[in-house]
PDB file of all heavy atoms in Angstrom:
ATOM      1  N   ARG A  35      50.167  85.350 107.240  1.00  0.00           N
ATOM      2  CA  ARG A  35      48.998  84.872 107.961  1.00  0.00           C
ATOM      3  C   ARG A  35      49.402  84.634 109.413  1.00  0.00           C
ATOM      4  O   ARG A  35      50.456  84.038 109.681  1.00  0.00           O
ATOM      5  CB  ARG A  35      48.460  83.563 107.366  1.00  0.00           C
ATOM      6  CG  ARG A  35      47.278  82.981 108.146  1.00  0.00           C
ATOM      7  CD  ARG A  35      46.667  81.776 107.450  1.00  0.00           C
ATOM      8  NE  ARG A  35      47.591  80.683 107.291  1.00  0.00           N
ATOM      9  CZ  ARG A  35      47.533  79.804 106.280  1.00  0.00           C
ATOM     10  NH1 ARG A  35      46.592  79.903 105.353  1.00  0.00           N
ATOM     11  NH2 ARG A  35      48.422  78.819 106.201  1.00  0.00           N
ATOM     12  N   GLN A  36      48.567  85.076 110.316  1.00  0.00           N
ATOM     13  CA  GLN A  36      48.854  84.897 111.737  1.00  0.00           C
ATOM     14  C   GLN A  36      47.693  84.167 112.395  1.00  0.00           C
ATOM     15  O   GLN A  36      46.541  84.601 112.316  1.00  0.00           O
ATOM     16  CB  GLN A  36      49.079  86.255 112.420  1.00  0.00           C
ATOM     17  CG  GLN A  36      49.462  86.145 113.882  1.00  0.00           C
ATOM     18  CD  GLN A  36      49.679  87.498 114.534  1.00  0.00           C
ATOM     19  OE1 GLN A  36      49.070  88.493 114.153  1.00  0.00           O
ATOM     20  NE2 GLN A  36      50.558  87.545 115.538  1.00  0.00           N
ATOM     21  N   LYS A  37      48.019  83.077 113.056  1.00  0.00           N
ATOM     22  CA  LYS A  37      46.997  82.358 113.822  1.00  0.00           C
ATOM     23  C   LYS A  37      47.040  82.892 115.253  1.00  0.00           C
ATOM     24  O   LYS A  37      48.048  83.421 115.719  1.00  0.00           O
ATOM     25  CB  LYS A  37      47.267  80.864 113.768  1.00  0.00           C
ATOM     26  CG  LYS A  37      47.108  80.349 112.335  1.00  0.00           C
ATOM     27  CD  LYS A  37      46.735  78.898 112.295  1.00  0.00           C
ATOM     28  CE  LYS A  37      46.592  78.436 110.870  1.00  0.00           C
ATOM     29  NZ  LYS A  37      45.187  78.336 110.473  1.00  0.00           N
ATOM     30  N   HIS A  38      45.935  82.716 115.930  1.00  0.00           N
ATOM     31  CA  HIS A  38      45.780  83.280 117.269  1.00  0.00           C
ATOM     32  C   HIS A  38      46.907  82.830 118.192  1.00  0.00           C
ATOM     33  O   HIS A  38      47.170  81.645 118.334  1.00  0.00           O
ATOM     34  CB  HIS A  38      44.423  82.865 117.845  1.00  0.00           C
ATOM     35  CG  HIS A  38      44.176  83.424 119.207  1.00  0.00           C
ATOM     36  ND1 HIS A  38      43.976  84.765 119.429  1.00  0.00           N
ATOM     37  CD2 HIS A  38      44.121  82.827 120.420  1.00  0.00           C
ATOM     38  CE1 HIS A  38      43.794  84.958 120.725  1.00  0.00           C
ATOM     39  NE2 HIS A  38      43.870  83.806 121.352  1.00  0.00           N
ATOM     40  N   GLY A  39      47.589  83.796 118.816  1.00  0.00           N
ATOM     41  CA  GLY A  39      48.633  83.469 119.776  1.00  0.00           C
ATOM     42  C   GLY A  39      49.960  83.078 119.157  1.00  0.00           C
ATOM     43  O   GLY A  39      50.894  82.705 119.877  1.00  0.00           O
ATOM     44  N   GLU A  40      50.044  83.153 117.833  1.00  0.00           N
ATOM     45  CA  GLU A  40      51.290  82.777 117.161  1.00  0.00           C
ATOM     46  C   GLU A  40      51.837  83.966 116.381  1.00  0.00           C
ATOM     47  O   GLU A  40      51.167  84.971 116.200  1.00  0.00           O
ATOM     48  CB  GLU A  40      51.044  81.604 116.201  1.00  0.00           C
ATOM     49  CG  GLU A  40      50.523  80.354 116.896  1.00  0.00           C
ATOM     50  CD  GLU A  40      50.219  79.235 115.924  1.00  0.00           C
ATOM     51  OE1 GLU A  40      50.573  79.342 114.733  1.00  0.00           O
ATOM     52  OE2 GLU A  40      49.608  78.242 116.358  1.00  0.00           O
ATOM     53  N   ALA A  41      53.076  83.836 115.926  1.00  0.00           N
ATOM     54  CA  ALA A  41      53.674  84.895 115.117  1.00  0.00           C
ATOM     55  C   ALA A  41      53.206  84.773 113.666  1.00  0.00           C
ATOM     56  O   ALA A  41      52.758  83.709 113.237  1.00  0.00           O
ATOM     57  CB  ALA A  41      55.187  84.807 115.192  1.00  0.00           C
ATOM     58  N   PRO A  42      53.311  85.839 112.917  1.00  0.00           N
ATOM     59  CA  PRO A  42      52.930  85.783 111.498  1.00  0.00           C
ATOM     60  C   PRO A  42      53.824  84.833 110.715  1.00  0.00           C
ATOM     61  O   PRO A  42      55.022  84.732 110.972  1.00  0.00           O
ATOM     62  CB  PRO A  42      53.139  87.219 111.024  1.00  0.00           C
ATOM     63  CG  PRO A  42      53.137  88.049 112.261  1.00  0.00           C
ATOM     64  CD  PRO A  42      53.704  87.185 113.323  1.00  0.00           C
ATOM     65  N   VAL A  43      53.214  84.163 109.763  1.00  0.00           N
ATOM     66  CA  VAL A  43      53.943  83.252 108.895  1.00  0.00           C
ATOM     67  C   VAL A  43      53.938  83.826 107.484  1.00  0.00           C
ATOM     68  O   VAL A  43      52.887  84.214 106.974  1.00  0.00           O
ATOM     69  CB  VAL A  43      53.296  81.850 108.908  1.00  0.00           C
ATOM     70  CG1 VAL A  43      53.923  80.957 107.847  1.00  0.00           C
ATOM     71  CG2 VAL A  43      53.433  81.219 110.284  1.00  0.00           C
ATOM     72  N   SER A  83      41.890  79.685 108.480  1.00  0.00           N
ATOM     73  CA  SER A  83      41.456  80.679 109.461  1.00  0.00           C
ATOM     74  C   SER A  83      42.651  81.372 110.085  1.00  0.00           C
ATOM     75  O   SER A  83      43.683  80.755 110.351  1.00  0.00           O
ATOM     76  CB  SER A  83      40.634  79.998 110.569  1.00  0.00           C
ATOM     77  OG  SER A  83      39.423  79.512 110.056  1.00  0.00           O
ATOM     78  N   GLY A  84      42.497  82.665 110.313  1.00  0.00           N
ATOM     79  CA  GLY A  84      43.573  83.446 110.904  1.00  0.00           C
ATOM     80  C   GLY A  84      43.427  84.897 110.476  1.00  0.00           C
ATOM     81  O   GLY A  84      42.461  85.266 109.807  1.00  0.00           O
ATOM     82  N   THR A  85      44.407  85.681 110.842  1.00  0.00           N
ATOM     83  CA  THR A  85      44.413  87.080 110.423  1.00  0.00           C
ATOM     84  C   THR A  85      45.470  87.256 109.349  1.00  0.00           C
ATOM     85  O   THR A  85      46.623  86.855 109.532  1.00  0.00           O
ATOM     86  CB  THR A  85      44.699  88.012 111.618  1.00  0.00           C
ATOM     87  OG1 THR A  85      43.704  87.798 112.617  1.00  0.00           O
ATOM     88  CG2 THR A  85      44.657  89.468 111.183  1.00  0.00           C
ATOM     89  N   PHE A  87      47.735  89.659 106.981  1.00  0.00           N
ATOM     90  CA  PHE A  87      48.322  90.998 106.914  1.00  0.00           C
ATOM     91  C   PHE A  87      49.058  91.180 105.591  1.00  0.00           C
ATOM     92  O   PHE A  87      49.773  90.280 105.141  1.00  0.00           O
ATOM     93  CB  PHE A  87      49.348  91.202 108.037  1.00  0.00           C
ATOM     94  CG  PHE A  87      48.771  91.242 109.418  1.00  0.00           C
ATOM     95  CD1 PHE A  87      48.779  90.110 110.215  1.00  0.00           C
ATOM     96  CD2 PHE A  87      48.244  92.416 109.931  1.00  0.00           C
ATOM     97  CE1 PHE A  87      48.261  90.136 111.507  1.00  0.00           C
ATOM     98  CE2 PHE A  87      47.719  92.452 111.216  1.00  0.00           C
ATOM     99  CZ  PHE A  87      47.731  91.309 112.002  1.00  0.00           C
TER     100      PHE A  87
ATOM    101  N   SER B   9      59.379  81.919 125.154  1.00  0.00           N
ATOM    102  CA  SER B   9      58.110  82.046 124.459  1.00  0.00           C
ATOM    103  C   SER B   9      57.065  82.712 125.355  1.00  0.00           C
ATOM    104  O   SER B   9      56.113  83.320 124.865  1.00  0.00           O
ATOM    105  CB  SER B   9      57.607  80.667 124.019  1.00  0.00           C
ATOM    106  OG  SER B   9      57.463  79.822 125.147  1.00  0.00           O
ATOM    107  N   ARG B  10      57.279  82.559 126.649  1.00  0.00           N
ATOM    108  CA  ARG B  10      56.313  83.136 127.582  1.00  0.00           C
ATOM    109  C   ARG B  10      57.065  83.508 128.853  1.00  0.00           C
ATOM    110  O   ARG B  10      57.910  82.748 129.316  1.00  0.00           O
ATOM    111  CB  ARG B  10      55.246  82.092 127.896  1.00  0.00           C
ATOM    112  CG  ARG B  10      54.059  82.574 128.665  1.00  0.00           C
ATOM    113  CD  ARG B  10      53.059  81.432 128.852  1.00  0.00           C
ATOM    114  NE  ARG B  10      52.465  81.048 127.584  1.00  0.00           N
ATOM    115  CZ  ARG B  10      51.322  81.533 127.125  1.00  0.00           C
ATOM    116  NH1 ARG B  10      50.664  82.426 127.813  1.00  0.00           N
ATOM    117  NH2 ARG B  10      50.848  81.121 125.965  1.00  0.00           N
ATOM    118  N   GLN B  38      52.581  93.626 119.735  1.00  0.00           N
ATOM    119  CA  GLN B  38      51.222  93.441 119.247  1.00  0.00           C
ATOM    120  C   GLN B  38      50.270  93.283 120.428  1.00  0.00           C
ATOM    121  O   GLN B  38      50.442  92.379 121.249  1.00  0.00           O
ATOM    122  CB  GLN B  38      51.133  92.215 118.334  1.00  0.00           C
ATOM    123  CG  GLN B  38      49.786  92.038 117.662  1.00  0.00           C
ATOM    124  CD  GLN B  38      49.742  90.836 116.745  1.00  0.00           C
ATOM    125  OE1 GLN B  38      50.337  89.807 117.033  1.00  0.00           O
ATOM    126  NE2 GLN B  38      49.037  90.960 115.623  1.00  0.00           N
ATOM    127  N   PHE B  39      49.274  94.151 120.477  1.00  0.00           N
ATOM    128  CA  PHE B  39      48.230  94.032 121.482  1.00  0.00           C
ATOM    129  C   PHE B  39      47.083  93.219 120.891  1.00  0.00           C
ATOM    130  O   PHE B  39      46.963  93.122 119.659  1.00  0.00           O
ATOM    131  CB  PHE B  39      47.777  95.421 121.941  1.00  0.00           C
ATOM    132  CG  PHE B  39      48.837  96.151 122.720  1.00  0.00           C
ATOM    133  CD1 PHE B  39      49.535  97.201 122.151  1.00  0.00           C
ATOM    134  CD2 PHE B  39      49.156  95.774 124.012  1.00  0.00           C
ATOM    135  CE1 PHE B  39      50.528  97.870 122.851  1.00  0.00           C
ATOM    136  CE2 PHE B  39      50.149  96.436 124.722  1.00  0.00           C
ATOM    137  CZ  PHE B  39      50.837  97.486 124.138  1.00  0.00           C
ATOM    138  N   PRO B  40      46.243  92.643 121.758  1.00  0.00           N
ATOM    139  CA  PRO B  40      45.175  91.758 121.262  1.00  0.00           C
ATOM    140  C   PRO B  40      44.340  92.405 120.165  1.00  0.00           C
ATOM    141  O   PRO B  40      43.942  93.564 120.266  1.00  0.00           O
ATOM    142  CB  PRO B  40      44.343  91.479 122.512  1.00  0.00           C
ATOM    143  CG  PRO B  40      45.314  91.614 123.641  1.00  0.00           C
ATOM    144  CD  PRO B  40      46.247  92.716 123.224  1.00  0.00           C
ATOM    145  N   LYS B  41      44.111  91.653 119.122  1.00  0.00           N
ATOM    146  CA  LYS B  41      43.260  92.049 117.996  1.00  0.00           C
ATOM    147  C   LYS B  41      43.772  93.314 117.280  1.00  0.00           C
ATOM    148  O   LYS B  41      42.992  94.031 116.660  1.00  0.00           O
ATOM    149  CB  LYS B  41      41.813  92.246 118.460  1.00  0.00           C
ATOM    150  CG  LYS B  41      41.167  90.965 118.967  1.00  0.00           C
ATOM    151  CD  LYS B  41      39.673  91.037 118.881  1.00  0.00           C
ATOM    152  CE  LYS B  41      39.038  89.721 119.301  1.00  0.00           C
ATOM    153  NZ  LYS B  41      39.092  88.701 118.279  1.00  0.00           N
ATOM    154  N   GLN B  42      45.044  93.568 117.380  1.00  0.00           N
ATOM    155  CA  GLN B  42      45.614  94.715 116.679  1.00  0.00           C
ATOM    156  C   GLN B  42      46.732  94.259 115.761  1.00  0.00           C
ATOM    157  O   GLN B  42      47.182  93.116 115.818  1.00  0.00           O
ATOM    158  CB  GLN B  42      46.142  95.748 117.675  1.00  0.00           C
ATOM    159  CG  GLN B  42      45.048  96.421 118.493  1.00  0.00           C
ATOM    160  CD  GLN B  42      45.584  97.563 119.335  1.00  0.00           C
ATOM    161  OE1 GLN B  42      46.638  98.115 119.061  1.00  0.00           O
ATOM    162  NE2 GLN B  42      44.841  97.929 120.357  1.00  0.00           N
ATOM    163  N   SER B  90      52.409  92.380 126.768  1.00  0.00           N
ATOM    164  CA  SER B  90      52.065  92.361 125.348  1.00  0.00           C
ATOM    165  C   SER B  90      52.709  91.139 124.700  1.00  0.00           C
ATOM    166  O   SER B  90      53.387  90.352 125.359  1.00  0.00           O
ATOM    167  CB  SER B  90      52.583  93.644 124.676  1.00  0.00           C
ATOM    168  OG  SER B  90      52.128  93.741 123.345  1.00  0.00           O
ATOM    169  N   PHE B  91      52.490  91.012 123.413  1.00  0.00           N
ATOM    170  CA  PHE B  91      53.120  89.967 122.611  1.00  0.00           C
ATOM    171  C   PHE B  91      54.248  90.643 121.836  1.00  0.00           C
ATOM    172  O   PHE B  91      53.992  91.552 121.036  1.00  0.00           O
ATOM    173  CB  PHE B  91      52.065  89.368 121.673  1.00  0.00           C
ATOM    174  CG  PHE B  91      52.482  88.102 120.965  1.00  0.00           C
ATOM    175  CD1 PHE B  91      53.106  87.073 121.650  1.00  0.00           C
ATOM    176  CD2 PHE B  91      52.224  87.923 119.613  1.00  0.00           C
ATOM    177  CE1 PHE B  91      53.468  85.896 121.009  1.00  0.00           C
ATOM    178  CE2 PHE B  91      52.580  86.743 118.960  1.00  0.00           C
ATOM    179  CZ  PHE B  91      53.200  85.741 119.657  1.00  0.00           C
ATOM    180  N   TYR B  92      55.473  90.254 122.098  1.00  0.00           N
ATOM    181  CA  TYR B  92      56.632  90.849 121.444  1.00  0.00           C
ATOM    182  C   TYR B  92      57.156  89.874 120.388  1.00  0.00           C
ATOM    183  O   TYR B  92      57.404  88.710 120.681  1.00  0.00           O
ATOM    184  CB  TYR B  92      57.724  91.168 122.460  1.00  0.00           C
ATOM    185  CG  TYR B  92      57.345  92.285 123.405  1.00  0.00           C
ATOM    186  CD1 TYR B  92      56.623  92.016 124.571  1.00  0.00           C
ATOM    187  CD2 TYR B  92      57.674  93.608 123.129  1.00  0.00           C
ATOM    188  CE1 TYR B  92      56.248  93.034 125.436  1.00  0.00           C
ATOM    189  CE2 TYR B  92      57.302  94.639 123.984  1.00  0.00           C
ATOM    190  CZ  TYR B  92      56.583  94.339 125.125  1.00  0.00           C
ATOM    191  OH  TYR B  92      56.206  95.358 125.974  1.00  0.00           O
ATOM    192  N   ILE B  93      57.309  90.387 119.197  1.00  0.00           N
ATOM    193  CA  ILE B  93      57.732  89.524 118.090  1.00  0.00           C
ATOM    194  C   ILE B  93      58.938  90.151 117.403  1.00  0.00           C
ATOM    195  O   ILE B  93      58.937  91.363 117.125  1.00  0.00           O
ATOM    196  CB  ILE B  93      56.613  89.365 117.033  1.00  0.00           C
ATOM    197  CG1 ILE B  93      55.267  89.069 117.696  1.00  0.00           C
ATOM    198  CG2 ILE B  93      56.966  88.270 116.038  1.00  0.00           C
ATOM    199  CD1 ILE B  93      54.111  89.083 116.715  1.00  0.00           C
ATOM    200  N   GLY B 108      60.006  85.487 114.309  1.00  0.00           N
ATOM    201  CA  GLY B 108      60.148  84.515 115.363  1.00  0.00           C
ATOM    202  C   GLY B 108      58.784  84.153 115.899  1.00  0.00           C
ATOM    203  O   GLY B 108      57.776  84.773 115.522  1.00  0.00           O
ATOM    204  N   PRO B 109      58.701  83.149 116.776  1.00  0.00           N
ATOM    205  CA  PRO B 109      57.410  82.686 117.283  1.00  0.00           C
ATOM    206  C   PRO B 109      56.772  83.623 118.301  1.00  0.00           C
ATOM    207  O   PRO B 109      55.634  83.410 118.687  1.00  0.00           O
ATOM    208  CB  PRO B 109      57.754  81.339 117.918  1.00  0.00           C
ATOM    209  CG  PRO B 109      59.203  81.415 118.245  1.00  0.00           C
ATOM    210  CD  PRO B 109      59.828  82.311 117.222  1.00  0.00           C
ATOM    211  N   GLY B 110      57.482  84.656 118.723  1.00  0.00           N
ATOM    212  CA  GLY B 110      56.891  85.615 119.649  1.00  0.00           C
ATOM    213  C   GLY B 110      57.124  85.278 121.108  1.00  0.00           C
ATOM    214  O   GLY B 110      57.375  84.123 121.483  1.00  0.00           O
ATOM    215  N   THR B 111      57.045  86.299 121.938  1.00  0.00           N
ATOM    216  CA  THR B 111      57.181  86.150 123.394  1.00  0.00           C
ATOM    217  C   THR B 111      56.016  86.854 124.053  1.00  0.00           C
ATOM    218  O   THR B 111      55.804  88.050 123.831  1.00  0.00           O
ATOM    219  CB  THR B 111      58.496  86.783 123.895  1.00  0.00           C
ATOM    220  OG1 THR B 111      59.610  86.088 123.334  1.00  0.00           O
ATOM    221  CG2 THR B 111      58.571  86.729 125.423  1.00  0.00           C
ATOM    222  N   ARG B 112      55.267  86.091 124.830  1.00  0.00           N
ATOM    223  CA  ARG B 112      54.138  86.710 125.527  1.00  0.00           C
ATOM    224  C   ARG B 112      54.623  87.140 126.910  1.00  0.00           C
ATOM    225  O   ARG B 112      54.988  86.311 127.734  1.00  0.00           O
ATOM    226  CB  ARG B 112      52.974  85.743 125.672  1.00  0.00           C
ATOM    227  CG  ARG B 112      51.790  86.405 126.352  1.00  0.00           C
ATOM    228  CD  ARG B 112      50.421  85.991 125.914  1.00  0.00           C
ATOM    229  NE  ARG B 112      50.171  85.784 124.517  1.00  0.00           N
ATOM    230  CZ  ARG B 112      49.797  86.739 123.676  1.00  0.00           C
ATOM    231  NH1 ARG B 112      49.644  87.952 124.091  1.00  0.00           N
ATOM    232  NH2 ARG B 112      49.553  86.451 122.408  1.00  0.00           N
TER     233      ARG B 112
END
Side-chain angles (χ1 to χ4, degrees):
Chain A
R35 177 174 61 210
Q36 183 180 30
K37 295 206 180 258
H38 181 69
E40 300 177 10
V43 171
S83 293
T85 302
F87 292 98
Chain B
S9 58
R10 189 178 292 266
Q38 186 179 36
F39 292 106
K41 296 203 176 282
Q42 293 188 21
S90 187
F91 191 46
Y92 292 86
I93 314 173
T111 296
R112 182 145 319 272

